[in-house]
Amino acid sequence: PASSMWGGRFAGGPAAIMQRINASIDFDQRLYAQDIRGSKAHCTMLVKQGIITAADGDAILAGLEQVLQEIEGGNFPFRTELEDIHMNVEARLAEIIGEAAGRLHTARSRNDQVATDFRLWVRDALDGMEAALKGLQQALLDRAFEHAGTVMPGFTHLQAAQPVTMGHHLMAYVEMIGRDRGRLADARVRLNESPLGSAALAGTSFPIDRHFTARQLGFDRPMNNSLDGVSDRDFALEFMSASAICAVHLSRLAEELVIWTSAQFRFVKLSDAFTTGSSIMPQKRNPDAAELIRAKTGRVIGDLNALLIVMKGLPLAYSKDMQDDKEPVFECADTMELAIAAMTGMIKDMVVNTDVLAAAAGAGFTTATDIADWCVRELKMPFRRAHHVAGSLVKLAEDKGCDLPDLSLDEMRTVEPGITEAARAVLSVESSVASRISHGGTAPDNVRAAVAAARAKWL
Ligand code: ARG
């Protein structure tokens, strides 16, 4: 049978395979609340503008409310032959209230309807992710404050470089997550305009009030151009690009947890709640959640790419390709929700092995820069020459098979006669980190101040 929605010019119905490729109800039913909210706003506006009668409007609003209850109660029969959430809701509305249901779609198209629904959904997803990231920052800040003075090796090239503090390391991620939140907030401002009333593509001849529906739906204003309103998905792309960048941050932290929990590092221990064992090797404690965050970052990046590629060849205005915008966005949002929650749990629970970190902090001649700086400060050497002196001291220690602080004063003086006992004091990892008081440096007092400032800014 021909469709009840557009059967006028059709003699027959679609092939089974046509129905399957065309239907989006399996996934776009997640838009039900936004769809009904949008329809209510549209209906209220139609009544206010005298486009439909108050009686029809009341029937439509009551019917939509019943549809909402049915869906939330889990007793709504979604039908594939009705293609998508919009037609499923409208068809059920017609069953409930009869012919008046047919007036709801006056001055509207599924094109502006879906653009509106999807913007509302992505707006909620943005807000949810923002709140989750705030929770992650809170966890990082708590652990950073606790470990403001815990020394550990800082790395470049994954080679021990200079001592830092665990607090400083964790605060680096607080900064990254802060920028992630900033990107979400920026995207929200641009997203928050209403496409409703763009109709199919050209606007409408009915005297609608787009400012009213925009306000009803919490948008700042209506979008300016009807073609743009129905045919851009940049808000979804921005959501996913901000997600992808955030996921990359999470993935790097996850990678560090994988390294840090290994038997060769033992910097931290994850809680039982965030570890798995092996079915064969009894000693194993695997950081699966961290590994999965690392892996799922690939999916999020893929989701962004999928929609970029869908969009890049589409002429204005709507093309059905755009129905394929939803699955990547849903997967991205679901994946990010899981990843952020798992990371927050791991950070909250992890045990920091301060003794292991302290021993590792000094290994690999990590205070060589400090002795070079001392020569510059106290002996007024040019830094390049001081670098050479410190390098020779490292070579001496390496040949002797000891660490820099183990060299005697006499041994050090064979390299540079100006070196005094005072120079030896800068070789400890504690004095090294304490001396890094430049803005943004790793000194424990800096870290405590940075934690306080970040709490004020982000929590
Ligand atoms: N299910 C469609 C989507 O998600 C709704 C819009 C359909 N519009 C159309 N002209 N076929 O994009």
Side-chain angles (χ1 to χ4, degrees):
S3 161
S4 60
M5 295 288 170
W6 54 66
R9 86 185 298 291
F10 283 71
I17 196 71
M18 177 61 202
Q19 247 179 40
R20 274 183 59 201
I21 193 171
N22 202 34
S24 53
I25 189 62
D26 283 350
F27 50 87
D28 72 13
Q29 54 181 269
R30 283 180 75 164
L31 299 176
Y32 77 89
Q34 290 78 12
D35 192 69
I36 290 171
R37 189 175 167 199
S39 287
K40 284 180 173 175
H42 182 67
C43 173
T44 306
M45 183 278 294
L46 291 176
V47 172
K48 180 181 88 72
Q49 297 300 99
I51 299 169
I52 66 173
T53 66
D56 283 341
D58 288 345
I60 290 169
L61 291 177
L64 285 171
E65 184 56 30
Q66 184 179 327
V67 174
L68 181 66
Q69 300 309 327
E70 288 177 7
I71 295 176
E72 304 215 304
N75 43 40
F76 185 92
F78 289 107
R79 289 158 56 190
T80 309
E81 67 274 20
L82 291 173
E83 199 179 316
D84 58 23
I85 184 63
H86 325 295
M87 312 255 265
N88 268 272
V89 169
E90 194 185 316
R92 180 69 189 124
L93 182 67
E95 283 172 12
I96 299 169
I97 69 168
E99 253 224 314
R103 299 194 187 277
L104 172 60
H105 214 53
T106 314
R108 187 178 73 168
S109 155
R110 275 189 298 156
N111 295 349
D112 61 336
Q113 192 178 354
V114 73
T116 303
D117 294 2
F118 203 30
R119 273 182 193 256
L120 291 172
W121 196 93
V122 172
R123 189 173 72 186
D124 286 348
L126 278 168
D127 291 346
M129 193 183 302
E130 239 265 308
L133 288 176
K134 182 175 172 179
L136 175 55
Q137 279 183 314
Q138 166 100 60
L140 288 164
L141 281 163
D142 289 348
R143 302 313 305 267
F145 187 76
E146 183 188 339
H147 291 288
T150 302
V151 288
M152 67 177 280
F155 298 92
T156 60
H157 314 270
L158 196 55
Q159 307 281 314
Q162 295 177 351
V164 295
T165 61
M166 178 57 92
H168 197 54
H169 196 111
L170 296 177
M171 285 303 289
Y173 285 100
V174 169
E175 293 291 319
M176 292 179 237
I177 303 296
R179 287 192 298 278
D180 291 330
R181 287 178 63 188
R183 270 180 282 275
L184 293 172
D186 292 346
R188 195 189 198 285
V189 172
R190 278 181 294 276
L191 168 146
N192 207 32
E193 294 185 345
S194 175
L196 191 58
S198 298
L201 74 163
T204 175
S205 57
F206 291 98
I208 60 172
D209 183 348
R210 294 192 57 203
H211 293 271
F212 176 84
T213 46
R215 266 195 312 277
Q216 291 270 301
L217 297 171
F219 289 117
D220 297 324
R221 62 191 75 83
M223 291 177 74
N224 279 330
N225 182 294
S226 61
L227 291 166
D228 178 42
V230 293
S231 70
D232 202 4
R233 295 293 181 267
D234 59 353
F235 61 95
L237 292 171
E238 282 200 64
F239 169 66
M240 289 195 286
S241 63
S243 296
I245 294 170
C246 177
V248 167
H249 292 151
L250 298 180
S251 183
R252 295 183 72 179
L253 180 51
E255 167 69 2
E256 296 195 310
L257 290 175
V258 170
I259 294 171
W260 292 354
T261 52
S262 69
Q264 287 69 26
F265 274 76
R266 289 202 308 115
F267 285 4
V268 302
K269 185 178 172 202
L270 296 175
S271 68
D272 288 358
F274 285 96
T275 321
T276 55
S278 157
S279 54
I280 173 170
M281 297 167 282
Q283 86 284 8
K284 291 292 289 257
R285 293 177 62 82
N286 294 327
D288 291 35
E291 294 167 275
L292 285 164
I293 289 170
R294 204 170 52 182
K296 285 177 188 299
T297 296
R299 286 215 206 195
V300 172
I301 294 168
D303 292 330
L304 168 62
N305 275 295
L307 186 56
L308 283 168
I309 295 164
V310 165
M311 295 305 295
K312 77 176 184 60
L314 299 185
L316 302 190
Y318 180 86
S319 296
K320 193 67 176 242
D321 309 51
M322 281 193 264
Q323 177 167 286
D324 251 27
D325 58 359
K326 292 168 203 72
E327 285 166 295
V329 167
F330 291 155
E331 180 179 74
C332 172
D334 293 344
T335 306
M336 291 303 292
E337 188 183 330
L338 258 181
I340 297 166
M343 183 58 82
T344 305
M346 282 191 289
I347 295 294
K348 268 187 184 160
D349 284 14
M350 73 181 179
V351 175
V352 176
N353 294 329
T354 52
D355 50 335
V356 177
L357 286 169
F365 315 109
T366 54
T367 53
T369 313
D370 296 82
I371 191 76
D373 288 351
W374 184 90
C375 291
V376 170
R377 214 168 36 242
E378 304 299 328
L379 306 182
K380 310 299 174 208
M381 268 184 210
F383 180 76
R384 285 295 165 219
R385 210 176 106 213
H387 184 288
H388 199 83
V389 168
S392 302
L393 291 169
V394 168
K395 177 144 193 341
L396 188 63
E398 197 171 38
D399 290 345
K400 272 195 67 185
C402 69
D403 287 329
L404 279 175
D406 303 324
L407 293 174
S408 70
L409 187 55
D410 288 341
E411 285 169 326
M412 293 177 77
R413 282 182 165 150
T414 63
V415 172
E416 168 50 55
I419 289 177
T420 66
E421 193 56 40
R424 293 164 49 76
V426 305
L427 292 175
S428 82
V429 292
E430 286 75 15
S431 84
S432 175
V433 295
S435 72
R436 299 291 199 270
I437 54 172
S438 54
H439 183 89
T442 192
D445 285 345
N446 274 24
V447 173
R448 284 180 205 103
V451 169
R455 279 191 204 285
K457 180 167 182 191
W458 292 115
L459 301 187

